[in-house]
Amino acid sequence: MNRLQYLTALLSLTVGSLHSHAQATQTSPLEIADATETATYPVTHIAGLSGTTSNLKGDLSLSQTALRFTSAGSHVEIPVSHIEAISIGDERVETGGGAGLILRLAAPPLGAVTQKSIDLLTIEYRDEDGGYHGTVLAASKDVAERLKGQLSSRLMTADGALTPPCQKQATNPTAIVLEPIAVSGVQLPAEYRALLYEDLVAKLHQEAPSTSFVRAGDRNSGPGCTGMTLKLTVTGFKKGNRAVRSSTGPVGFLTANTSLSVHIDLTDSSEHTLISAGASSNNRIDRESLDITSMVASRVSKRVVKATSTLESRKKVS
């Protein structure tokens, strides 16, 4: 199931869940005026919460000390003191699901009525070991704005302190630390930056399960911990327009596509370059624009795994 499908599922959540939640509590969470009380909001988890699957509807609650995501069989808590940034973006989704897509392809001018915009809440935070995470949640506009307003004044301030030296005896030559996504010369929404990082982590673990990949800032990522450093810099981005696709049909798949380009830098502990190359992808079919991060992450991970495998083979021969 791609991100289009579970973003579409949110549309029923934002209406149905808010209605049923208000019936159960007799008070809508949006009516809570006192920010010191615990408020609960319906959201859909897209990516980034450890131990939680994508396409998962649940409740996000905010107290004085923590932000909590709760769903059937899942409970994740982020201390407020660990949150570094919170941003709001938006995305257009199909309201008619598969039926809406078929209708739009059959009669493009009618497709515009199947479009609706939702808000994406991006939360960047550090785990208990200091590792960077980017979490993206889909929510209704009023929920996203309320949460951002409540959290903005309580965000932690990055002190720029260096990661402490590794406590291990020696460097792990096969371990790779993943630096946060950098951006050069383009405007990249926070949700794409966070999703690209999380998709890269997931793809690398999938492609090379025996290799250790360490998040930036983790206490095991400091000097003497890892043998390599991977950094992605976004050099090009164009967000597709689903409304244009709706009104132009197949032609819109080419004129309103989403594209993402990155530069890959993989260096060893001596700062010798192992990879310095570009990678890009174009979403030219009727898929959710957010899927572009997974497509690029897949290409990058294959390049990284190939390069590190070649390096290991050379070491064994020598």
Side-chain angles (χ1 to χ4, degrees), residues 15-84:
V15 177
S17 294
L18 277 173
H19 177 68
S20 60
H21 195 82
Q23 287 182 321
T25 62
Q26 300 301 312
T27 303
S28 167
L30 301 181
E31 294 175 355
I32 297 177
D34 187 354
T36 63
E37 299 180 34
T38 300
T40 302
Y41 310 95
V43 298
T44 296
H45 171 244
I46 296 178
L49 287 178
S50 299
T52 303
T53 61
S54 298
N55 188 25
L56 187 62
K57 298 178 182 179
D59 288 325
L60 194 69
S61 60
L62 174 63
S63 68
Q64 282 294 307
T65 59
L67 190 66
R68 300 181 180 89
F69 176 83
T70 304
S71 185
S74 179
H75 178 85
V76 182
E77 183 172 302
I78 305 173
V80 171
S81 60
H82 288 198
I83 299 176
E84 293 183 327

Short mmCIF file of all heavy atoms in Angstrom, two decimals, residues 15-84:
data_model
loop_
_atom_site.label_atom_id
_atom_site.label_comp_id
_atom_site.label_asym_id
_atom_site.label_seq_id
_atom_site.Cartn_x
_atom_site.Cartn_y
_atom_site.Cartn_z
N VAL A 15 -12.99 13.09 9.71
CA VAL A 15 -14.40 13.38 9.93
C VAL A 15 -15.00 12.41 10.92
O VAL A 15 -15.56 12.77 11.94
CB VAL A 15 -15.18 13.33 8.59
CG1 VAL A 15 -16.65 13.55 8.84
CG2 VAL A 15 -14.65 14.37 7.63
N GLY A 16 -14.82 11.09 10.62
CA GLY A 16 -15.44 10.07 11.46
C GLY A 16 -14.86 9.99 12.84
O GLY A 16 -15.58 9.90 13.83
N SER A 17 -13.51 10.06 12.94
CA SER A 17 -12.89 9.91 14.25
C SER A 17 -13.17 11.09 15.15
O SER A 17 -13.40 10.94 16.34
CB SER A 17 -11.38 9.72 14.09
OG SER A 17 -11.10 8.52 13.44
N LEU A 18 -13.12 12.29 14.58
CA LEU A 18 -13.43 13.45 15.40
C LEU A 18 -14.86 13.40 15.91
O LEU A 18 -15.15 13.74 17.05
CB LEU A 18 -13.22 14.73 14.58
CG LEU A 18 -11.79 15.25 14.48
CD1 LEU A 18 -11.72 16.42 13.51
CD2 LEU A 18 -11.25 15.65 15.84
N HIS A 19 -15.79 12.90 15.07
CA HIS A 19 -17.19 12.83 15.47
C HIS A 19 -17.38 11.78 16.57
O HIS A 19 -17.97 12.05 17.61
CB HIS A 19 -18.05 12.48 14.26
CG HIS A 19 -19.51 12.32 14.60
ND1 HIS A 19 -20.29 13.39 14.99
CD2 HIS A 19 -20.30 11.22 14.60
CE1 HIS A 19 -21.52 12.95 15.22
NE2 HIS A 19 -21.54 11.64 14.99
N SER A 20 -16.79 10.57 16.33
CA SER A 20 -16.95 9.51 17.32
C SER A 20 -16.22 9.85 18.60
O SER A 20 -16.67 9.51 19.70
CB SER A 20 -16.44 8.17 16.75
OG SER A 20 -15.08 8.27 16.42
N HIS A 21 -15.05 10.51 18.48
CA HIS A 21 -14.29 10.88 19.67
C HIS A 21 -15.06 11.90 20.50
O HIS A 21 -15.10 11.82 21.72
CB HIS A 21 -12.94 11.47 19.26
CG HIS A 21 -11.96 11.54 20.38
ND1 HIS A 21 -11.20 10.47 20.77
CD2 HIS A 21 -11.62 12.56 21.20
CE1 HIS A 21 -10.43 10.82 21.77
NE2 HIS A 21 -10.66 12.09 22.05
N ALA A 22 -15.71 12.83 19.83
CA ALA A 22 -16.48 13.84 20.55
C ALA A 22 -17.67 13.19 21.24
O ALA A 22 -18.04 13.56 22.36
CB ALA A 22 -16.97 14.91 19.57
N GLN A 23 -18.28 12.17 20.59
CA GLN A 23 -19.40 11.49 21.21
C GLN A 23 -18.96 10.73 22.46
O GLN A 23 -19.65 10.70 23.46
CB GLN A 23 -20.03 10.50 20.22
CG GLN A 23 -20.83 11.19 19.11
CD GLN A 23 -21.46 10.16 18.19
OE1 GLN A 23 -20.87 9.14 17.88
NE2 GLN A 23 -22.68 10.46 17.77
N ALA A 24 -17.77 10.12 22.38
CA ALA A 24 -17.30 9.31 23.50
C ALA A 24 -16.92 10.17 24.70
O ALA A 24 -17.11 9.79 25.85
CB ALA A 24 -16.09 8.47 23.07
N THR A 25 -16.34 11.37 24.43
CA THR A 25 -15.86 12.20 25.53
C THR A 25 -16.81 13.34 25.87
O THR A 25 -16.64 14.01 26.88
CB THR A 25 -14.49 12.80 25.17
OG1 THR A 25 -14.65 13.62 24.01
CG2 THR A 25 -13.48 11.70 24.86
N GLN A 26 -17.76 13.58 24.96
CA GLN A 26 -18.70 14.69 25.09
C GLN A 26 -18.00 16.04 24.97
O GLN A 26 -18.59 17.07 25.19
CB GLN A 26 -19.45 14.62 26.45
CG GLN A 26 -20.26 13.35 26.63
CD GLN A 26 -21.31 13.17 25.55
OE1 GLN A 26 -22.05 14.09 25.24
NE2 GLN A 26 -21.37 11.99 24.97
N THR A 27 -16.70 16.01 24.64
CA THR A 27 -15.96 17.25 24.45
C THR A 27 -14.96 17.06 23.34
O THR A 27 -14.12 16.17 23.40
CB THR A 27 -15.20 17.65 25.74
OG1 THR A 27 -16.13 17.75 26.81
CG2 THR A 27 -14.49 18.97 25.55
N SER A 28 -15.05 17.86 22.31
CA SER A 28 -14.08 17.77 21.22
C SER A 28 -12.72 18.18 21.74
O SER A 28 -12.60 19.14 22.49
CB SER A 28 -14.49 18.69 20.07
OG SER A 28 -13.41 18.82 19.17
N PRO A 29 -11.63 17.46 21.34
CA PRO A 29 -10.29 17.84 21.80
C PRO A 29 -9.91 19.24 21.36
O PRO A 29 -9.08 19.88 21.98
CB PRO A 29 -9.38 16.79 21.13
CG PRO A 29 -10.19 16.25 19.99
CD PRO A 29 -11.60 16.31 20.45
N LEU A 30 -10.54 19.72 20.30
CA LEU A 30 -10.20 21.06 19.82
C LEU A 30 -10.82 22.14 20.68
O LEU A 30 -10.53 23.32 20.51
CB LEU A 30 -10.67 21.21 18.37
CG LEU A 30 -10.08 20.20 17.40
CD1 LEU A 30 -10.61 20.46 16.00
CD2 LEU A 30 -8.57 20.27 17.40
N GLU A 31 -11.69 21.75 21.62
CA GLU A 31 -12.33 22.73 22.49
C GLU A 31 -11.57 22.92 23.78
O GLU A 31 -11.92 23.75 24.61
CB GLU A 31 -13.77 22.29 22.79
CG GLU A 31 -14.67 22.29 21.56
CD GLU A 31 -16.05 21.74 21.86
OE1 GLU A 31 -16.24 21.27 23.00
OE2 GLU A 31 -16.91 21.78 20.99
N ILE A 32 -10.53 22.11 23.99
CA ILE A 32 -9.76 22.22 25.22
C ILE A 32 -8.93 23.49 25.18
O ILE A 32 -8.08 23.67 24.31
CB ILE A 32 -8.84 21.00 25.41
CG1 ILE A 32 -9.71 19.73 25.55
CG2 ILE A 32 -7.96 21.17 26.63
CD1 ILE A 32 -8.89 18.46 25.66
N ALA A 33 -9.15 24.37 26.08
CA ALA A 33 -8.48 25.68 26.05
C ALA A 33 -7.19 25.69 26.85
O ALA A 33 -6.28 26.45 26.57
CB ALA A 33 -9.43 26.75 26.57
N ASP A 34 -7.12 24.87 27.87
CA ASP A 34 -5.97 24.88 28.77
C ASP A 34 -4.88 23.95 28.24
O ASP A 34 -5.04 22.75 28.23
CB ASP A 34 -6.40 24.43 30.17
CG ASP A 34 -5.28 24.60 31.19
OD1 ASP A 34 -4.16 24.96 30.78
OD2 ASP A 34 -5.53 24.37 32.38
N ALA A 35 -3.76 24.53 27.80
CA ALA A 35 -2.68 23.71 27.22
C ALA A 35 -2.01 22.83 28.26
O ALA A 35 -1.24 21.95 27.92
CB ALA A 35 -1.63 24.62 26.57
N THR A 36 -2.29 23.04 29.54
CA THR A 36 -1.69 22.20 30.57
C THR A 36 -2.42 20.88 30.68
O THR A 36 -1.92 19.94 31.27
CB THR A 36 -1.71 22.90 31.94
OG1 THR A 36 -3.08 23.12 32.34
CG2 THR A 36 -0.99 24.23 31.86
N GLU A 37 -3.63 20.78 30.14
CA GLU A 37 -4.37 19.54 30.15
C GLU A 37 -3.90 18.66 29.00
O GLU A 37 -3.34 19.12 28.02
CB GLU A 37 -5.87 19.81 30.03
CG GLU A 37 -6.45 20.65 31.15
CD GLU A 37 -7.94 20.87 30.96
OE1 GLU A 37 -8.61 19.94 30.43
OE2 GLU A 37 -8.44 21.94 31.30
N THR A 38 -4.16 17.34 29.11
CA THR A 38 -3.81 16.43 28.06
C THR A 38 -4.90 16.44 27.00
O THR A 38 -6.04 16.11 27.28
CB THR A 38 -3.63 14.99 28.60
OG1 THR A 38 -2.59 14.99 29.57
CG2 THR A 38 -3.26 14.04 27.48
N ALA A 39 -4.55 16.83 25.78
CA ALA A 39 -5.49 16.85 24.66
C ALA A 39 -5.18 15.68 23.74
O ALA A 39 -4.03 15.28 23.59
CB ALA A 39 -5.37 18.18 23.91
N THR A 40 -6.20 15.11 23.11
CA THR A 40 -6.04 13.97 22.23
C THR A 40 -6.56 14.30 20.84
O THR A 40 -7.65 14.84 20.69
CB THR A 40 -6.79 12.74 22.79
OG1 THR A 40 -6.30 12.44 24.10
CG2 THR A 40 -6.59 11.53 21.89
N TYR A 41 -5.75 13.96 19.81
CA TYR A 41 -6.09 14.30 18.44
C TYR A 41 -5.98 13.06 17.54
O TYR A 41 -5.01 12.31 17.65
CB TYR A 41 -5.15 15.37 17.90
CG TYR A 41 -4.99 16.58 18.79
CD1 TYR A 41 -3.94 16.66 19.70
CD2 TYR A 41 -5.88 17.64 18.71
CE1 TYR A 41 -3.79 17.77 20.51
CE2 TYR A 41 -5.74 18.76 19.51
CZ TYR A 41 -4.68 18.82 20.42
OH TYR A 41 -4.54 19.93 21.22
N PRO A 42 -6.91 12.87 16.61
CA PRO A 42 -6.80 11.75 15.66
C PRO A 42 -5.80 12.08 14.57
O PRO A 42 -5.84 13.16 13.98
CB PRO A 42 -8.22 11.63 15.10
CG PRO A 42 -8.77 13.02 15.20
CD PRO A 42 -8.17 13.62 16.45
N VAL A 43 -4.87 11.16 14.28
CA VAL A 43 -3.86 11.34 13.25
C VAL A 43 -3.62 10.01 12.55
O VAL A 43 -4.10 8.97 12.98
CB VAL A 43 -2.52 11.86 13.84
CG1 VAL A 43 -2.68 13.21 14.51
CG2 VAL A 43 -1.95 10.84 14.83
N THR A 44 -2.86 10.07 11.46
CA THR A 44 -2.37 8.86 10.80
C THR A 44 -0.85 8.93 10.75
O THR A 44 -0.29 9.92 10.27
CB THR A 44 -2.93 8.74 9.37
OG1 THR A 44 -4.35 8.58 9.43
CG2 THR A 44 -2.34 7.52 8.66
N HIS A 45 -0.20 7.88 11.24
CA HIS A 45 1.26 7.83 11.22
C HIS A 45 1.73 7.45 9.82
O HIS A 45 1.33 6.42 9.28
CB HIS A 45 1.76 6.80 12.24
CG HIS A 45 3.23 6.52 12.14
ND1 HIS A 45 3.73 5.29 11.79
CD2 HIS A 45 4.30 7.33 12.31
CE1 HIS A 45 5.06 5.35 11.78
NE2 HIS A 45 5.42 6.57 12.08
N ILE A 46 2.56 8.29 9.22
CA ILE A 46 3.10 7.99 7.90
C ILE A 46 4.46 7.30 8.00
O ILE A 46 4.69 6.26 7.41
CB ILE A 46 3.22 9.28 7.06
CG1 ILE A 46 1.81 9.85 6.81
CG2 ILE A 46 3.92 9.00 5.73
CD1 ILE A 46 1.81 11.14 6.04
N ALA A 47 5.37 7.87 8.77
CA ALA A 47 6.70 7.27 8.94
C ALA A 47 7.42 7.95 10.09
O ALA A 47 7.11 9.08 10.46
CB ALA A 47 7.52 7.39 7.66
N GLY A 48 8.42 7.23 10.65
CA GLY A 48 9.34 7.84 11.60
C GLY A 48 9.23 7.45 13.05
O GLY A 48 10.18 7.64 13.81
N LEU A 49 8.08 6.92 13.48
CA LEU A 49 7.96 6.51 14.88
C LEU A 49 8.48 5.08 15.03
O LEU A 49 7.92 4.15 14.44
CB LEU A 49 6.51 6.59 15.36
CG LEU A 49 5.93 7.98 15.58
CD1 LEU A 49 4.46 7.88 16.01
CD2 LEU A 49 6.72 8.74 16.64
N SER A 50 9.52 4.90 15.80
CA SER A 50 10.13 3.58 15.97
C SER A 50 9.13 2.60 16.57
O SER A 50 8.41 2.94 17.52
CB SER A 50 11.36 3.68 16.87
OG SER A 50 12.33 4.53 16.31
N GLY A 51 9.09 1.40 16.01
CA GLY A 51 8.22 0.36 16.54
C GLY A 51 6.77 0.50 16.11
O GLY A 51 5.90 -0.23 16.58
N THR A 52 6.50 1.45 15.19
CA THR A 52 5.14 1.67 14.72
C THR A 52 5.11 1.58 13.20
O THR A 52 5.98 2.11 12.52
CB THR A 52 4.64 3.07 15.13
OG1 THR A 52 4.72 3.19 16.55
CG2 THR A 52 3.21 3.29 14.70
N THR A 53 4.12 0.87 12.67
CA THR A 53 4.03 0.70 11.22
C THR A 53 3.43 1.93 10.55
O THR A 53 2.78 2.75 11.19
CB THR A 53 3.17 -0.53 10.88
OG1 THR A 53 1.84 -0.33 11.41
CG2 THR A 53 3.76 -1.79 11.49
N SER A 54 3.66 2.03 9.24
CA SER A 54 3.04 3.09 8.46
C SER A 54 1.56 2.77 8.24
O SER A 54 1.12 1.66 8.48
CB SER A 54 3.74 3.22 7.11
OG SER A 54 5.09 3.57 7.28
N ASN A 55 0.83 3.76 7.79
CA ASN A 55 -0.60 3.59 7.52
C ASN A 55 -1.34 3.16 8.77
O ASN A 55 -2.20 2.28 8.74
CB ASN A 55 -0.81 2.57 6.40
CG ASN A 55 -2.26 2.50 5.95
OD1 ASN A 55 -3.01 3.45 6.10
ND2 ASN A 55 -2.65 1.37 5.40
N LEU A 56 -1.00 3.78 9.88
CA LEU A 56 -1.60 3.39 11.16
C LEU A 56 -2.34 4.58 11.76
O LEU A 56 -1.75 5.61 12.06
CB LEU A 56 -0.52 2.91 12.13
CG LEU A 56 -1.02 2.32 13.46
CD1 LEU A 56 -1.87 1.07 13.21
CD2 LEU A 56 0.16 1.97 14.36
N LYS A 57 -3.64 4.42 11.90
CA LYS A 57 -4.45 5.46 12.53
C LYS A 57 -4.34 5.34 14.04
O LYS A 57 -4.26 4.24 14.59
CB LYS A 57 -5.91 5.32 12.12
CG LYS A 57 -6.16 5.47 10.64
CD LYS A 57 -7.64 5.27 10.33
CE LYS A 57 -7.91 5.37 8.84
NZ LYS A 57 -9.35 5.17 8.52
N GLY A 58 -4.33 6.47 14.71
CA GLY A 58 -4.26 6.45 16.15
C GLY A 58 -4.57 7.81 16.73
O GLY A 58 -5.03 8.72 16.04
N ASP A 59 -4.28 7.95 18.01
CA ASP A 59 -4.51 9.21 18.71
C ASP A 59 -3.17 9.78 19.16
O ASP A 59 -2.31 9.07 19.68
CB ASP A 59 -5.39 9.00 19.94
CG ASP A 59 -6.84 8.70 19.56
OD1 ASP A 59 -7.30 9.27 18.57
OD2 ASP A 59 -7.49 7.90 20.25
N LEU A 60 -3.01 11.07 18.96
CA LEU A 60 -1.82 11.78 19.41
C LEU A 60 -2.23 12.66 20.58
O LEU A 60 -3.11 13.50 20.45
CB LEU A 60 -1.26 12.64 18.27
CG LEU A 60 0.16 13.18 18.47
CD1 LEU A 60 1.16 12.04 18.42
CD2 LEU A 60 0.47 14.20 17.38
N SER A 61 -1.59 12.43 21.72
CA SER A 61 -1.92 13.22 22.90
C SER A 61 -0.70 14.00 23.36
O SER A 61 0.43 13.53 23.26
CB SER A 61 -2.42 12.32 24.03
OG SER A 61 -1.44 11.37 24.40
N LEU A 62 -0.94 15.19 23.85
CA LEU A 62 0.14 16.06 24.30
C LEU A 62 -0.09 16.46 25.74
O LEU A 62 -1.12 17.02 26.10
CB LEU A 62 0.20 17.31 23.42
CG LEU A 62 1.19 18.40 23.83
CD1 LEU A 62 2.61 17.87 23.75
CD2 LEU A 62 1.02 19.63 22.94
N SER A 63 0.90 16.15 26.58
CA SER A 63 0.87 16.58 27.97
C SER A 63 2.01 17.56 28.18
O SER A 63 2.72 17.94 27.25
CB SER A 63 1.03 15.38 28.90
OG SER A 63 2.33 14.83 28.80
N GLN A 64 2.25 17.97 29.41
CA GLN A 64 3.34 18.89 29.70
C GLN A 64 4.71 18.27 29.44
O GLN A 64 5.67 18.97 29.13
CB GLN A 64 3.28 19.33 31.17
CG GLN A 64 2.23 20.40 31.44
CD GLN A 64 2.57 21.70 30.75
OE1 GLN A 64 3.66 22.24 30.89
NE2 GLN A 64 1.62 22.23 29.98
N THR A 65 4.79 16.94 29.52
CA THR A 65 6.10 16.29 29.43
C THR A 65 6.32 15.45 28.18
O THR A 65 7.46 15.16 27.84
CB THR A 65 6.33 15.38 30.66
OG1 THR A 65 5.28 14.39 30.71
CG2 THR A 65 6.33 16.19 31.94
N ALA A 66 5.26 15.02 27.51
CA ALA A 66 5.46 14.08 26.41
C ALA A 66 4.39 14.19 25.33
O ALA A 66 3.26 14.63 25.57
CB ALA A 66 5.50 12.66 26.93
N LEU A 67 4.80 13.77 24.13
CA LEU A 67 3.89 13.61 23.00
C LEU A 67 3.72 12.11 22.81
O LEU A 67 4.71 11.39 22.64
CB LEU A 67 4.50 14.25 21.75
CG LEU A 67 3.60 14.40 20.52
CD1 LEU A 67 2.47 15.38 20.80
CD2 LEU A 67 4.43 14.88 19.33
N ARG A 68 2.49 11.63 22.84
CA ARG A 68 2.25 10.19 22.80
C ARG A 68 1.36 9.81 21.62
O ARG A 68 0.33 10.43 21.39
CB ARG A 68 1.58 9.71 24.10
CG ARG A 68 2.41 9.97 25.34
CD ARG A 68 1.69 9.45 26.59
NE ARG A 68 2.46 9.70 27.80
CZ ARG A 68 2.37 10.81 28.52
NH1 ARG A 68 1.52 11.76 28.16
NH2 ARG A 68 3.10 10.96 29.60
N PHE A 69 1.78 8.77 20.89
CA PHE A 69 0.96 8.20 19.83
C PHE A 69 0.46 6.85 20.31
O PHE A 69 1.25 5.98 20.69
CB PHE A 69 1.77 8.02 18.55
CG PHE A 69 1.00 7.36 17.43
CD1 PHE A 69 0.14 8.09 16.62
CD2 PHE A 69 1.10 5.99 17.22
CE1 PHE A 69 -0.58 7.48 15.61
CE2 PHE A 69 0.39 5.37 16.21
CZ PHE A 69 -0.46 6.11 15.40
N THR A 70 -0.86 6.68 20.29
CA THR A 70 -1.46 5.45 20.78
C THR A 70 -2.41 4.88 19.74
O THR A 70 -3.24 5.60 19.18
CB THR A 70 -2.24 5.69 22.09
OG1 THR A 70 -1.36 6.29 23.05
CG2 THR A 70 -2.76 4.38 22.65
N SER A 71 -2.24 3.60 19.45
CA SER A 71 -3.13 2.90 18.54
C SER A 71 -3.26 1.47 19.05
O SER A 71 -2.66 1.11 20.07
CB SER A 71 -2.56 2.91 17.12
OG SER A 71 -3.47 2.34 16.21
N ALA A 72 -4.07 0.67 18.36
CA ALA A 72 -4.26 -0.71 18.77
C ALA A 72 -2.91 -1.44 18.74
O ALA A 72 -2.30 -1.59 17.68
CB ALA A 72 -5.25 -1.40 17.83
N GLY A 73 -2.44 -1.87 19.89
CA GLY A 73 -1.18 -2.60 19.98
C GLY A 73 0.06 -1.75 19.83
O GLY A 73 1.16 -2.29 19.67
N SER A 74 -0.07 -0.44 19.87
CA SER A 74 1.10 0.42 19.69
C SER A 74 1.02 1.62 20.61
O SER A 74 -0.03 2.25 20.74
CB SER A 74 1.19 0.89 18.23
OG SER A 74 2.30 1.73 18.04
N HIS A 75 2.16 1.92 21.25
CA HIS A 75 2.24 3.10 22.12
C HIS A 75 3.66 3.64 22.05
O HIS A 75 4.61 2.95 22.42
CB HIS A 75 1.89 2.74 23.56
CG HIS A 75 1.99 3.90 24.50
ND1 HIS A 75 0.98 4.80 24.69
CD2 HIS A 75 3.03 4.33 25.28
CE1 HIS A 75 1.35 5.72 25.57
NE2 HIS A 75 2.60 5.46 25.93
N VAL A 76 3.82 4.85 21.52
CA VAL A 76 5.13 5.47 21.38
C VAL A 76 5.10 6.83 22.07
O VAL A 76 4.13 7.59 21.91
CB VAL A 76 5.51 5.65 19.90
CG1 VAL A 76 6.90 6.26 19.78
CG2 VAL A 76 5.46 4.32 19.16
N GLU A 77 6.15 7.12 22.81
CA GLU A 77 6.20 8.36 23.56
C GLU A 77 7.47 9.13 23.22
O GLU A 77 8.57 8.57 23.21
CB GLU A 77 6.14 8.08 25.05
CG GLU A 77 6.12 9.31 25.92
CD GLU A 77 5.86 8.98 27.39
OE1 GLU A 77 4.81 8.37 27.68
OE2 GLU A 77 6.71 9.32 28.23
N ILE A 78 7.33 10.42 22.93
CA ILE A 78 8.47 11.29 22.68
C ILE A 78 8.48 12.37 23.76
O ILE A 78 7.54 13.18 23.85
CB ILE A 78 8.36 11.98 21.31
CG1 ILE A 78 8.20 10.96 20.19
CG2 ILE A 78 9.59 12.86 21.06
CD1 ILE A 78 7.93 11.59 18.84
N PRO A 79 9.51 12.41 24.60
CA PRO A 79 9.59 13.50 25.58
C PRO A 79 9.61 14.85 24.88
O PRO A 79 10.31 15.03 23.88
CB PRO A 79 10.92 13.22 26.31
CG PRO A 79 11.15 11.75 26.10
CD PRO A 79 10.63 11.46 24.73
N VAL A 80 8.84 15.78 25.37
CA VAL A 80 8.81 17.11 24.77
C VAL A 80 10.20 17.72 24.75
O VAL A 80 10.58 18.43 23.81
CB VAL A 80 7.81 18.02 25.53
CG1 VAL A 80 7.93 19.47 25.06
CG2 VAL A 80 6.38 17.52 25.34
N SER A 81 10.99 17.44 25.76
CA SER A 81 12.34 17.99 25.86
C SER A 81 13.28 17.47 24.76
O SER A 81 14.36 18.01 24.58
CB SER A 81 12.95 17.69 27.23
OG SER A 81 13.03 16.28 27.44
N HIS A 82 12.86 16.41 24.04
CA HIS A 82 13.69 15.85 22.98
C HIS A 82 13.32 16.36 21.60
O HIS A 82 13.98 16.05 20.62
CB HIS A 82 13.58 14.31 22.98
CG HIS A 82 14.26 13.67 24.14
ND1 HIS A 82 14.60 12.32 24.14
CD2 HIS A 82 14.66 14.15 25.34
CE1 HIS A 82 15.17 12.02 25.31
NE2 HIS A 82 15.21 13.12 26.04
N ILE A 83 12.24 17.13 21.50
CA ILE A 83 11.76 17.62 20.21
C ILE A 83 12.53 18.88 19.80
O ILE A 83 12.65 19.82 20.57
CB ILE A 83 10.25 17.91 20.26
CG1 ILE A 83 9.49 16.62 20.59
CG2 ILE A 83 9.77 18.48 18.93
CD1 ILE A 83 7.99 16.83 20.77
N GLU A 84 13.06 18.86 18.58
CA GLU A 84 13.88 19.97 18.08
C GLU A 84 13.11 20.90 17.14
O GLU A 84 13.39 22.10 17.09
CB GLU A 84 15.11 19.43 17.33
CG GLU A 84 16.11 18.72 18.21
CD GLU A 84 17.33 18.28 17.44
OE1 GLU A 84 17.21 17.94 16.26
OE2 GLU A 84 18.43 18.28 18.03
#
